[in-house]
Amino acid sequence: MKLAYWMYAAPAHIGTLRIATSFKNVHAIMHAPLGDDYFNVMRSMLERKRDFTPVTASVVDRHVLARGSQEKVIQNINRKDKEEKPDLVLLTPTCTSSILQEDLQNFVNRASQDSKADVLLADVNHYRVNELQAADRTLEQVIRFYIQKAENDKSLLVNKTEKPSVNIIGPCNLGFHVHHDIAELKRLFKDLSIEVNTIIPEGASVEDLKKLPQGWFNVIPYREVGLLSAKFLEKNYDIPYISTSPIGIVETASFIRQIQSILKKFKFDVNFEKYIDLQTRFVSQSAWFSRSIDCQNLAGKTAVVFGDATHAVAITKILSQEMGVKVLVAGTYCKPEETWFKEEVSKYCDDILVTDDHNLVGDMIAKLEPSAIFGTQMERHIGKRLNIPCGVISAPVHIQNFPLSYRPFMGYEGSNQIADLIYNSFTLGMEDHLLELFGGHDTKDIISSTLTNEICWDSEAENELKRIPGFVRGKVKRNVEKFAKKNDLKAITIDIMYRCKESGDM
Amino acid sequence: MDQKQTSLDNLKTVNFECETGNYHTFCPISCVAWLYQKIEDSFFLVIGTKTCGYFLQNALGVMIFAEPRYAMAELEEADISAYLNDYTELKRLCSIIKKDRNPSVIFWIGTCTTEIIKMDLEGIAPKLEAELGLPIVVARANGLDYAFTQGEDTVLAALANSFGAKPTSIELDRSRNQASSSLILFGSVPNPVVHELTNELNNFGITVKGWLPGKRYTEFPVLNEKDFVCGVNPYLSRTATTLMRRRKCQLIGAPFPIGPDGTRAWLEKICSVFNVQTPGIEEKEQKAWKLLEPYLKVIKGKSVFFMGDNLLEISLARFLIRCGMYVYEIGIPYLDKRYQAAELTLLEKTCKDMGTFLPVIVEKPDNYNQLNRIKDLQPDLVITGMAHANPLEARGINTKWSVEFTFSQIHGFTNGRNILDLICKPLERQTTFNELGWKNYHTIA
């Protein structure tokens, strides 16, 4: 047993559901107790989805414990098949089904006899893998299934497209700034005259999967999800892949050069150097920004970076090589990526931390006192407590990290966004210091001035007042005091508050 | 007209239905969110998996960062396969909690996993209690058996069962000084509501001996045989049963003090049991309604559909019908017809008084079927969970999140305002958006 208050990566089934719901017309059925469909709330709230989340539960309750869930699961699969006519039903195990050890594969086999949809059992073990690993596996499983299906009925499209084309593999919903990144990648490929063959799974249909071998090469923008699929396609269909994330000016250039060398292998001679140079020096602002006098102030400032492997690596490199900020510690909660992570960042930071314990991260930050933190929402809260500014660069995130406006992290526009994020975090920090030096803003007292000081509050009433949310507390206080004055009362007790409320004056 | 009349005749008694139970709701372990804040000296340990932890972390959002008095005892593979010993593991964790937080009581919240692997929490607790010198209360708030607010019911039932069963000397002193047959109220409500309801009863000369739960574990009331108990929340049927059967208390079955009508009925029922008059209660109710008038103008004649997830639905529907609304359907996870009997009677009476049809009560609803009914009925407002709210809004249907009713102060004469505030918000927004022509955002067929 582990005493835990908070976790970075979600349980496995969330990863599977993220993949399932990113495809069009795929329905996931969770084998889970009542209340485990919290994923639907997250998708509907965080991403503000307009469609109903295609996830239902085959509820595990007492009856199921007594009798087994075979009939129920099969009924539920066949029912969804008729109601929604999905292309694929993905049966998703949860921690509960892991322990029940029912033969879910057998249910899937039986259900698929009567259903028009394909039916698959997501092959993930709750106690062995986390959300990201599960997403990676499920994506590979779905791709493998449909490629094999297409092989069997000879519908697999194996001829390469006429012009160079790319498959973008891995972006799925509830990811950090994923939709903006996809748009930016599309723009980048358009600039390079490369067609986007497919984007899997976000917005794709399972029908699109048989087109995968037509793509000249694959890119995996986020290394946590998609690598297994890329390796599968490389092994079986000889499709090369790029797993560099084009985040930051330097990495984006490296990403483009890798594309160039892949195209050259296809005897397609291109030279992107001029494009890179133009973008770097003139179209994007961030390389110039790094050079500008503003950024000089950042030289030697210290930072701590923590997040998923992709973003933590990218931001560490940007801070260190593009902005001259000293990264004290770079860390990630993606333990399976430990080796890769260490290789990538060891040159760019003093120390490395791989952990999924937020207390360790908090203690480390408290000890180092960096001038800024770049991390997840958890680090933002740690920063708040320690009074250190924090820029959020990675999941897990809140609704405010699903912005309406265009905020990619990838490509040249992404580098502008990141430069702003980094710069603003540090200036805020500096402003804070100046405020401290000059004794802070001096307007607070005026804002909270009350009606009169003659009326006193007894401690019980004062406590009650403190429970009232801050933004209305002042108003409530004034109204109760008005009420007391009107009724010629000198001291406010909890009963007077109540009488005031009853009279409708509060 | 004639046709309408006959259809109304058919709907004069409450119509109960039961569907498939395929609906969205919160897991009952969410009760720790409000119970740890209510019981100030408690610590809640949820014994479950990452799935439970992830739900709590997301559902409770900001609270998680405020060093809450709850935590997960996260079960790992070695716990599931019984490679590790439950007793030693729980002892290790509870010793840390005792050292770091020094609570007066630790609640163990059992989950689906502890049920399935049959972890003997009730067996381990007394042993550890003795070793740690700290009371441990075990509640099985799992998703196999319960929905959302029923989590509170399992905790309060466990408290009712254990508290004061072996009274300490102080408690004995306290109980000696008190007359028998006094009144104890049960249900976790915010302290201002406790004050308000206690005060209302005081006004008629009835003393409330205590609340289950009180502000602190150490302040919980002593339960004696023949004590009267009365619930303030509609989802506390297990607690009621425990108080009656195990502690031999007498249950006052009343409608719940939600809305001025419910509050009055609740007070009158309690007063009638204690044989006291309720002078001025009529005026008090009228005064409360008067304050609600601006809201009533907005909602009168509008229709509501409850998809059901927190068991407050019948009381809320009854209040809204009294406010002049029409309720098509009351979805509810579970209905204890005995515990809610007085509330159901009041619902029937209210419909009759208001000359409106009786809503269908759908227990264990099926969300998919409900969405089809909503599509047909096009109600003015759907009260639903967060999973359906945005998709419904995109289809031009106004929604209100049902959880907000769980987390707002809704009891007593004055808090009807909070309920109507929540109801009015989406309805008033609608007017502006419709004028702008922003109605349907749903493009996929």
Side-chain angles (χ1 to χ4, degrees):
Chain A
M1 277 180 214
K2 203 168 94 184
L3 193 62
Y5 295 87
W6 204 78
M7 65 184 92
Y8 284 101
H13 68 272
I14 300 282
T16 296
L17 296 178
R18 282 177 60 189
I19 296 297
T21 55
S22 294
F23 278 111
K24 271 193 300 206
N25 213 29
V26 170
H27 199 101
I29 294 185
M30 295 170 71
H31 185 239
L34 195 67
D36 270 4
D37 57 352
Y38 191 73
F39 175 79
N40 297 34
V41 174
M42 292 178 53
R43 186 168 176 275
S44 171
M45 297 306 298
L46 295 177
E47 294 220 312
R48 305 179 188 89
K49 287 284 183 194
R50 301 168 195 199
D51 54 336
F52 291 100
T53 301
V55 174
T56 43
S58 179
V59 177
V60 176
D61 57 15
R62 280 283 158 199
H63 296 290
V64 165
L65 287 195
R67 288 194 316 227
S69 49
Q70 168 146 335
E71 291 313 317
K72 202 169 184 181
V73 169
I74 293 171
Q75 268 169 25
N76 278 319
I77 293 174
N78 291 331
R79 181 184 160 186
K80 270 303 140 199
D81 180 50
K82 289 194 185 68
E83 283 170 357
E84 315 258 347
K85 301 183 181 58
D87 297 323
L88 167 68
V89 174
L90 194 64
L91 183 61
T92 309
T94 59
C95 56
T96 308
S97 39
S98 285
I99 321 167
L100 286 176
Q101 295 192 327
E102 287 184 291
D103 189 357
L104 294 179
Q105 186 59 54
N106 175 33
F107 305 168
V108 161
N109 296 345
R110 282 200 38 206
S112 53
Q113 286 167 7
D114 292 326
S115 70
K116 286 209 174 61
D118 297 312
V119 189
L120 276 180
L121 170 66
D123 183 20
V124 291
N125 180 325
H126 175 92
Y127 294 95
R128 301 275 167 88
V129 296
N130 69 19
E131 166 196 13
L132 298 165
Q133 294 163 290
D136 200 17
R137 281 170 192 228
T138 303
L139 182 59
E140 195 253 5
Q141 190 188 358
V142 174
I143 288 177
R144 185 189 286 264
F145 176 81
Y146 278 98
I147 296 250
Q148 266 161 12
K149 195 181 173 198
E151 287 257 31
N152 292 343
D153 61 19
K154 309 247 183 304
S155 62
L156 193 69
L157 304 169
V158 282
N159 295 330
K160 296 286 170 211
T161 52
E162 203 178 313
K163 287 183 188 157
S165 68
V166 58
N167 302 311
I168 304 174
I169 300 178
C172 54
N173 63 30
L174 287 169
F176 185 69
H177 293 236
V178 158
H179 290 115
H180 311 276
D181 283 348
I182 292 177
E184 188 60 22
L185 283 176
K186 279 185 180 165
R187 197 163 85 171
L188 181 64
F189 288 125
K190 192 162 181 253
D191 283 354
L192 302 176
S193 300
I194 292 168
E195 284 172 2
V196 175
N197 186 47
T198 57
I199 301 173
I200 309 287
E202 186 62 48
S205 120
V206 290
E207 278 294 299
D208 296 338
L209 296 174
K210 65 178 172 217
K211 288 198 314 197
L212 276 168
Q214 288 190 305
W216 290 30
F217 66 101
N218 294 328
V219 300
I220 315 302
Y222 311 99
R223 77 174 286 110
E224 289 82 3
V225 181
L227 266 186
L228 280 179
S229 311
K231 284 177 182 158
F232 166 76
L233 291 166
E234 185 186 46
K235 188 166 167 243
N236 292 282
Y237 297 93
D238 209 19
I239 309 175
Y241 69 88
I242 300 172
S243 62
T244 299
S245 306
I247 305 177
I249 291 277
V250 177
E251 292 296 283
T252 303
S254 144
F255 177 79
I256 295 172
R257 288 191 185 109
Q258 286 180 54
I259 295 173
Q260 182 175 299
S261 72
I262 284 174
L263 293 185
K264 278 190 173 147
K265 275 190 200 134
F266 279 100
K267 310 258 183 298
F268 198 87
D269 203 21
V270 283
N271 190 340
F272 295 139
E273 287 306 327
K274 206 173 157 210
Y275 174 78
I276 294 172
D277 181 58
L278 218 87
Q279 288 287 330
T280 304
R281 285 193 300 131
F282 300 105
V283 180
S284 157
Q285 297 295 312
S286 67
W288 158 241
F289 169 77
S290 299
R291 177 87 215 195
S292 76
I293 199 74
D294 254 357
C295 213
Q296 217 175 67
N297 288 330
L298 295 187
K301 282 261 179 325
T302 57
V304 164
V305 182
F306 196 85
D308 63 21
T310 299
H311 290 91
V313 164
I315 299 297
T316 301
K317 288 182 180 173
I318 293 172
L319 284 168
S320 167
Q321 61 182 351
E322 295 180 23
M323 302 218 151
V325 173
K326 190 175 166 60
V327 179
L328 300 173
V329 172
T332 182
Y333 57 85
C334 296
K335 284 181 165 173
E337 303 290 345
E338 184 165 354
T339 323
W340 176 81
F341 185 83
K342 285 183 170 164
E343 257 167 42
E344 290 293 306
V345 297
S346 55
K347 265 197 341 212
Y348 304 100
C349 59
D350 296 356
D351 215 344
I352 295 171
L353 179 68
V354 180
T355 179
D356 53 9
D357 181 347
H358 70 90
N359 287 315
L360 280 182
V361 180
D363 291 348
M364 178 261 295
I365 293 173
K367 200 178 81 204
L368 294 173
E369 290 187 49
S371 354
I373 311 166
F374 297 94
T376 71
Q377 277 292 339
M378 182 39 103
E379 283 69 49
R380 195 173 71 85
H381 282 268
I382 293 170
K384 253 188 187 168
R385 221 165 39 207
L386 299 170
N387 248 330
I388 301 172
C390 178
V392 175
I393 53 127
S394 156
V397 287
H398 289 170
I399 193 155
Q400 64 264 39
N401 302 108
F402 289 87
L404 302 180
S405 56
Y406 188 51
R407 300 268 182 79
F409 264 56
M410 291 188 171
Y412 289 106
E413 176 55 26
S415 67
N416 290 341
Q417 297 285 342
I418 295 171
D420 276 341
L421 178 78
I422 291 175
Y423 182 66
N424 289 344
S425 303
F426 281 109
T427 34
L428 285 179
M430 214 137 49
E431 198 181 341
D432 252 7
H433 288 309
L434 288 176
L435 283 173
E436 208 164 280
L437 201 65
F438 294 115
H441 291 293
D442 58 358
T443 47
K444 258 186 202 143
D445 289 342
I446 299 163
I447 292 166
S448 63
S449 81
T450 54
L451 202 68
T452 162
N453 293 327
E454 289 162 27
I455 294 171
C456 74
W457 291 63
D458 80 356
S459 64
E460 209 187 352
E462 201 143 64
N463 276 335
E464 209 48 62
L465 189 67
K466 277 184 198 147
R467 284 175 196 278
I468 293 167
F471 60 98
V472 287
R473 197 183 297 140
K475 190 175 152 207
V476 169
K477 188 174 185 207
R478 277 194 299 278
N479 286 343
V480 175
E481 287 179 352
K482 247 192 233 165
F483 176 83
K485 220 174 168 192
K486 200 165 80 189
N487 293 290
D488 227 10
L489 299 159
K490 285 278 171 281
I492 289 163
T493 64
I494 194 153
D495 284 302
I496 290 169
M497 284 179 83
Y498 175 59
R499 270 171 55 198
C500 171
K501 191 175 177 201
E502 212 181 18
S503 74
D505 287 341
M506 202 151 120
Chain B
M1 189 65 203
D2 273 341
Q3 242 182 342
K4 199 182 172 193
Q5 197 54 51
T6 34
S7 68
L8 281 183
D9 284 344
N10 290 339
L11 293 169
K12 272 185 181 157
T13 50
V14 179
N15 202 348
F16 297 101
E17 281 176 18
C18 186
E19 284 189 305
T20 63
N22 211 325
Y23 61 101
H24 166 75
T25 182
F26 271 15
C27 173
I29 58 171
S30 51
C31 67
V32 304
W34 62 89
L35 287 174
Y36 95 81
Q37 291 189 335
K38 174 72 198 178
I39 308 168
E40 291 168 6
D41 52 353
S42 64
F43 191 97
F44 284 79
L45 186 67
V46 182
I47 304 160
T49 63
K50 261 185 185 312
T51 307
C52 314
Y54 196 64
F55 162 70
L56 281 179
Q57 162 173 333
N58 282 287
L60 311 181
V62 185
M63 277 191 247
I64 216 101
F65 299 108
E67 299 245 334
R69 275 177 287 102
Y70 66 83
M72 289 293 307
E74 194 183 304
L75 300 170
E76 293 167 297
E77 203 163 13
D79 298 301
I80 306 298
S81 58
Y83 180 75
L84 289 173
N85 181 283
D86 300 336
Y87 170 80
T88 349
E89 289 298 293
L90 283 167
K91 185 176 173 185
R92 185 170 60 81
L93 301 195
C94 289
S95 307
I96 300 175
I97 293 165
K98 191 186 173 193
K99 190 174 126 261
D100 292 352
R101 306 296 187 93
N102 195 27
S104 309
V105 57
I106 296 181
F107 288 89
W108 285 355
I109 305 295
T111 61
C112 304
T113 310
T114 57
E115 286 297 308
I116 295 170
I117 65 173
K118 300 198 165 43
M119 195 183 275
D120 183 21
L121 296 178
E122 278 93 346
I124 300 173
K127 279 189 241 161
L128 257 186
E129 204 169 57
E131 283 189 42
L132 291 172
L134 190 63
I136 294 172
V137 180
V138 181
R140 302 175 170 201
N142 64 71
L144 297 168
D145 301 303
Y146 307 108
F148 197 8
T149 48
Q150 286 181 290
E152 174 180 322
D153 194 21
T154 64
V155 173
L156 298 193
L159 272 174
N161 199 17
S162 69
F163 194 78
K166 292 169 283 179
T168 62
S169 56
I170 307 166
E171 280 161 12
L172 277 176
D173 278 351
R174 266 207 279 167
S175 64
R176 249 182 244 125
N177 295 333
Q178 278 157 346
S180 62
S181 298
S182 43
L183 175 67
I184 290 148
L185 300 176
F186 59 95
S188 167
V189 281
N191 296 333
V193 173
V194 169
H195 182 82
E196 179 168 341
L197 293 178
T198 310
N199 208 27
E200 297 290 1
L201 285 164
N202 278 344
N203 288 344
F204 300 121
I206 294 175
T207 318
V208 178
K209 187 170 91 172
W211 281 74
L212 185 77
K215 263 203 264 190
R216 301 178 67 80
Y217 179 74
T218 46
E219 287 170 11
F220 283 180
V222 178
L223 296 163
N224 295 317
E225 280 190 21
K226 298 273 190 281
D227 273 351
F228 283 102
V229 290
C230 188
V232 297
N233 283 323
Y235 41 78
L236 298 175
S237 58
R238 280 176 70 89
T239 310
T241 314
T242 309
L243 287 167
M244 283 191 297
R245 301 232 176 107
R246 306 293 291 266
R247 307 308 296 264
K248 310 277 182 256
C249 298
Q250 309 178 70
L251 178 72
I252 303 175
F256 301 100
I258 291 170
D261 50 341
T263 307
R264 177 182 174 182
W266 183 77
L267 288 168
E268 282 180 337
K269 183 63 200 274
I270 295 173
C271 290
S272 76
V273 169
F274 284 90
N275 242 333
V276 294
Q277 300 295 311
T278 53
I281 199 165
E282 163 89 42
E283 292 74 38
K284 212 149 189 188
E285 191 196 344
Q286 289 315 320
K287 204 169 144 193
W289 282 110
K290 192 128 191 78
L291 290 174
L292 299 179
E293 263 168 19
Y295 299 102
L296 299 184
K297 275 181 213 143
V298 180
I299 61 172
K300 205 167 176 228
K302 298 259 164 57
S303 55
V304 192
F305 190 109
F306 284 88
M307 285 186 79
D309 82 342
N310 60 13
L311 287 93
L312 292 171
E313 291 87 1
I314 293 178
S315 309
L316 288 173
R318 178 260 303 150
F319 169 54
L320 295 181
I321 292 170
R322 178 61 73 183
C323 290
M325 297 186 91
Y326 296 98
V327 176
Y328 288 130
E329 174 167 330
I330 306 177
I332 186 166
Y334 167 75
L335 176 60
D336 183 331
K337 285 184 191 159
R338 278 197 298 180
Y339 178 62
Q340 295 230 39
E343 186 62 87
L344 286 168
T345 313
L346 184 60
L347 173 72
E348 283 192 16
K349 184 178 173 291
T350 304
C351 288
K352 207 170 147 204
D353 289 352
M354 301 302 289
T356 172
F357 57 87
L358 271 156
V360 187
I361 297 181
V362 182
E363 207 180 343
K364 289 167 156 275
D366 184 295
N367 280 168
Y368 183 85
N369 298 343
Q370 284 185 315
L371 291 172
N372 283 336
R373 295 199 286 270
I374 288 168
K375 205 172 149 197
D376 292 341
L377 293 163
Q378 293 286 317
D380 293 306
L381 185 68
V382 174
I383 297 177
T384 179
M386 290 191 263
H388 299 301
N390 267 337
L392 282 170
E393 290 281 349
R395 284 154 183 78
I397 304 256
N398 299 304
T399 60
K400 187 75 231 164
W401 297 337
S402 46
V403 274
E404 290 194 72
F405 296 98
T406 318
F407 294 125
S408 303
Q409 296 186 13
I410 59 170
H411 298 75
F413 279 125
T414 58
N415 288 323
R417 195 153 73 162
N418 294 340
I419 302 174
L420 295 190
D421 243 343
L422 293 175
I423 298 287
C424 281
K425 247 182 228 168
L427 291 174
E428 285 180 322
R429 255 164 40 121
Q430 172 199 35
T431 334
T432 350
F433 294 152
N434 283 351
E435 277 165 17
L436 293 166
W438 298 353
K439 200 161 156 64
N440 203 328
Y441 290 84
H442 176 56
T443 49
I444 311 158

